[in-house]
Amino acid sequence: MPVVLAVPALLGLGFLVLPLAGLLIRTPWTSLPQRLTAPGVLEALRLSLVTATAATLLCLLLGVPLAWLLARTTFPGRRLVRALVTVPLVLPPVVGGVALLLVFGRRGLIGGWLDETFGITLPFTTTGVVLAEAFVAMPFLVIAVEGALRGADARYEEAAATLGAGRWTAFRRVTLPLVAPGIAAGAVLCWARALGEFGATITFAGNFPGRTQTMPLAVYLALEQDLEAAIVLSLVLLVVSVAILASLRDRWITSP
């Protein structure tokens, strides 16, 4: 490998690895068990896992059809729609939280109607956490699935159509198995992004222990009061994220 490429590559690797190493070095290992069992830690972890999983399921329900629409159909304004889908990737999460409030808040475009008609309030609830996480995480799923659909051979779907299969049958029996690795990859990225979501969550759902306080919010709160507690919480998030990504990548993403 040329030195001109090896040096920046090693610097980039160090830039990514050293902060994680610093987290491991500064972890108070002797008091780790006591801090992990402290009030609120397990509850925040449980809430994070539940909401991230629920947000991923919501993204799968809505994002896979959206990716199919972008990959398999042609309509006016498709490029604009694709750009809008990817906006949450570059939008500051706090701005996303404000936007969610303007739509789903009690005086929002949809939230006011939900509150008056059904008595449903979304902000500052666990459901609000799920919506915030899904908003910022869905583009990861859509991009991964759309790429898989574009890379899949459409002739298999055409052959199924010539054999009498309807569009839904072809999608369910042919398309989905073809792009299953792409869906799995997108779901993993989506789940990991939802697990680490902070800005939109605290803006739209608040920081209420047991109801909306996920692990990133607990880290932020602990950082203001106890640095070692924040380090322990960060370590938990790191371990969970790495374990999930490593196990799912070996099973679903790595191609033979």
Side-chain angles (χ1 to χ4, degrees), residues 25-133:
I25 294 172
R26 292 293 302 275
T27 298
W29 297 104
T30 55
S31 61
L32 185 63
Q34 293 81 2
R35 292 185 177 277
L36 287 176
T37 56
V41 173
L42 295 179
E43 181 61 27
L45 178 59
R46 182 199 66 81
L47 185 63
S48 292
L49 297 176
V50 170
T51 55
T53 302
T56 302
L57 293 176
L58 178 61
C59 290
L60 285 169
L61 179 64
L62 303 178
V64 172
L66 178 57
W68 182 89
L69 182 71
L70 294 174
R72 286 288 192 264
T73 63
T74 303
F75 56 90
R78 184 174 64 171
R79 291 185 178 180
L80 176 61
V81 172
R82 183 179 289 110
L84 292 175
V85 168
T86 57
V87 163
L89 291 175
V90 296
L91 189 70
V94 174
V95 177
V98 173
L100 288 171
L101 277 175
L102 295 177
V103 175
F104 296 108
R106 288 187 176 181
R107 297 183 181 180
L109 299 176
I110 299 176
W113 173 75
L114 290 174
D115 188 23
E116 294 176 1
T117 306
F118 303 103
I120 297 176
T121 302
L122 296 176
F124 309 109
T125 64
T126 304
T127 304
V129 176
V130 174
L131 291 179
E133 292 177 348

Side-chain angles (χ1 to χ4, degrees), residues 168-215:
W168 169 244
T169 302
F171 175 79
R172 182 166 51 89
R173 296 286 186 87
V174 179
T175 307
L176 281 182
L178 282 175
V179 300
I183 294 176
V188 170
L189 293 174
C190 180
W191 188 88
R193 179 63 185 89
L195 185 69
E197 165 51 29
F198 174 81
T201 302
I202 197 171
T203 306
F204 181 61
N207 188 10
F208 301 100
R211 188 172 65 185
T212 65
Q213 188 181 88
T214 57
M215 287 293 285

